[in-house]
Amino acid sequence: MKRLLAALLIALATAPAASFAQKLYAASVRNLTEGGAESIGGSLYAVVPTTGVSTFVAPIQLEGGVPLGITGLAAHPLSGVLYGITSPLSRSNPLSLVTISPLTGDAKMVGHLGVMGSDIAFSRGGTLFIWLPETSQIGVVNLDTGAATPIGTPRSAGSPAGLAIDDETRVFITLKGASGTLDTIDIATGAVTPGPAMKGAPFDTLINSMTFTPEGKLIAVNSNGGSPSNAKLVSIDTATGAVTTLGNMPDDTDGLTFASPVTPEASVPVNWRNVALISLLLLGVALAGFAWAMGRKAA
């Protein structure tokens, strides 16, 4: 019994944090500096998922203060580590995989992708997928080296697209932008199945990035592709393709994902809420055992 409870304590202590502990984060490709000059280095924002209201967290900078422009964000479902891919427009280290602190915006280099990616998303098992617009393929990213490996047959080059994976490991992609269809992809073969036509987007140009809320709702960044690029937070009905505007976002917003505000970088996270619950359970078992022992002694 003691061994069973100990194993349960460890399992729950290291289980992923509950969805209510997550926040919506967005990243931008570039900022406007003093005087209006463009700086190809982005910022990290905390976003209200129902309104798009965004609060500046920090500039996204590589160790040493080198600015990075981010075009895709995704949080590992098991470790909670926040990953980003850099834009080809990034002043430094373009087309790279990095980890990002959701508290400080500090980034650490993982490695070079080897190709251009427009968005990334994790499966439930912790595999990182990427959309490769130059060949219109989905790919897998190696979390140790950063290298991206395409899946399936290359197609004609397309526009940057949003990528999202739901709890059933259905992969959604916006191949033809906000005026196209919401398609799905077979992650084993790379085959694309056309979905419903999207309608109602405030801009008919791009769906930069997508992610699912903890409740299973698909939300996305819709932009006009300008310079700077105006951006809005929208929701997309996966069954009908209907797009609903939720609110404005900072110019040049691109990456979008839910993540824990406090993210470990190299260890399994401890879920202290579950530790407390199991500690109470163990205390209850101990008290019940003591009461039973005292009852036998009295008898």
Side-chain angles (χ1 to χ4, degrees), residues 173-192:
I173 189 73
T174 54
L175 278 170
K176 298 178 181 179
S179 58
T181 53
L182 181 64
D183 303 329
T184 54
I185 300 178
D186 186 322
I187 56 176
T189 66
V192 175

Side-chain angles (χ1 to χ4, degrees), residues 61-294:
Q61 297 179 333
L62 198 61
E63 295 170 285
V66 178
L68 297 175
I70 299 296
T71 188
L73 286 177
H76 196 290
L78 304 178
S79 70
V81 174
L82 181 62
Y83 288 85
I85 55 172
T86 58
S87 166
L89 297 175
S90 182
R91 182 192 305 175
S92 65
N93 300 285
L95 312 184
S96 297
L97 179 70
V98 297
T99 60
I100 302 171
S101 167
L103 292 177
T104 65
D106 292 338
K108 291 186 177 181
M109 179 61 61
V110 176
H112 192 63
L113 293 167
V115 288
M116 184 176 77
S118 65
D119 200 9
I120 52 176
F122 275 102
S123 67
R124 290 181 63 185
T127 299
L128 182 59
F129 291 91
I130 185 171
W131 182 249
L132 311 174
E134 292 179 312
T135 54
S136 295
Q137 288 175 281
I138 194 171
V140 175
V141 181
N142 187 310
L143 297 183
D144 294 323
T145 67
T149 302
I151 297 173
T153 304
R155 305 178 185 85
S156 300
S159 63
L163 179 72
I165 304 176
D166 68 10
D167 284 342
E168 298 177 5
T169 318
R170 292 185 299 171
V171 183
F172 292 86
I173 189 73
T174 54
L175 278 170
K176 298 178 181 179
S179 58
T181 53
L182 181 64
D183 303 329
T184 54
I185 300 178
D186 186 322
I187 56 176
T189 66
V192 175
T193 300
M198 289 184 289
K199 45 191 177 292
F203 305 121
D204 62 3
T205 314
L206 296 174
I207 296 293
N208 293 42
S209 61
M210 302 191 295
T211 191
F212 280 94
T213 70
E215 296 78 26
K217 181 179 181 180
L218 182 61
I219 58 176
V221 176
N222 175 217
S223 72
N224 67 353
S227 181
S229 180
N230 300 138
K232 293 184 182 291
L233 184 67
V234 300
S235 64
I236 305 174
D237 189 309
T238 58
T240 67
V243 179
T244 302
T245 302
L246 300 176
N248 296 321
M249 301 191 76
D251 288 348
D252 290 313
T253 296
D254 206 326
L256 189 71
T257 195
F258 282 85
S260 170
V262 180
T263 303
E265 295 189 12
S267 61
V268 177
V270 174
N271 188 330
W272 292 109
R273 179 174 178 271
N274 285 343
V275 170
L277 291 174
I278 296 301
S279 296
L280 290 174
L281 175 62
L282 292 173
L283 178 61
V285 171
L287 291 175
F290 177 75
W292 177 80
M294 294 300 293

